[in-house]
Amino acid sequence: MNEQTKHNLTVKIADVEPFKLKVAETEEAFYRHIIEKLNRIWAKMHYGAVGESSQVALAKTALYYAEMFYRKSALANEQSRQLENFEQELDNLLRDLG
């Protein structure tokens, strides 16, 4: 079996102490992209017009991403249910025709 190479990625989000995270080599670019997006949103909240504290800005950023994840997961689950219902209806129709 082909085992993926793991990299120690140094994660620096907001003004939190950096930490190391082992990620697959093929996932490193994805993690770097997400970290950049998190830092961009945090900076807008922390340094923006309202100027939230670092902790509040980080909490709001986490909430924003959690909400996005939940909504996308709910949508994917609903689409899966609709597809299953459609397949069942199609199977019933084909059975009735046969």
Side-chain angles (χ1 to χ4, degrees):
M1 186 179 244
N2 218 0
E3 210 171 302
Q4 287 201 12
T5 304
K6 297 273 187 174
H7 287 196
N8 267 328
L9 180 65
T10 300
V11 179
K12 177 69 176 119
I13 298 174
D15 55 4
V16 175
E17 184 177 329
F19 60 93
K20 300 282 187 192
L21 184 65
K22 277 196 180 290
V23 298
E25 182 178 31
T26 57
E27 295 287 312
E28 185 176 353
F30 170 75
Y31 276 89
R32 289 188 186 284
H33 176 73
I34 295 301
I35 291 165
E36 179 184 329
K37 286 196 165 285
L38 288 170
N39 281 321
R40 195 175 311 134
I41 292 169
W42 171 82
K44 283 181 184 177
M45 291 185 191
H46 183 55
Y47 298 115
V50 176
E52 302 281 5
S53 72
S54 177
Q55 294 85 357
V56 169
L58 191 53
K60 284 184 175 184
T61 301
L63 184 59
Y64 169 77
Y65 269 89
E67 179 185 10
M68 281 190 351
F69 175 78
Y70 174 79
R71 289 180 188 270
K72 286 191 181 239
S73 295
L75 178 62
N77 289 337
E78 179 58 28
Q79 288 172 338
S80 178
R81 279 191 293 276
Q82 288 177 355
L83 183 57
E84 286 174 11
N85 290 340
F86 175 73
E87 288 174 347
Q88 185 62 45
E89 289 177 22
L90 189 57
D91 287 346
N92 290 341
L93 179 63
L94 291 173
R95 186 183 62 241
D96 291 346
L97 290 175

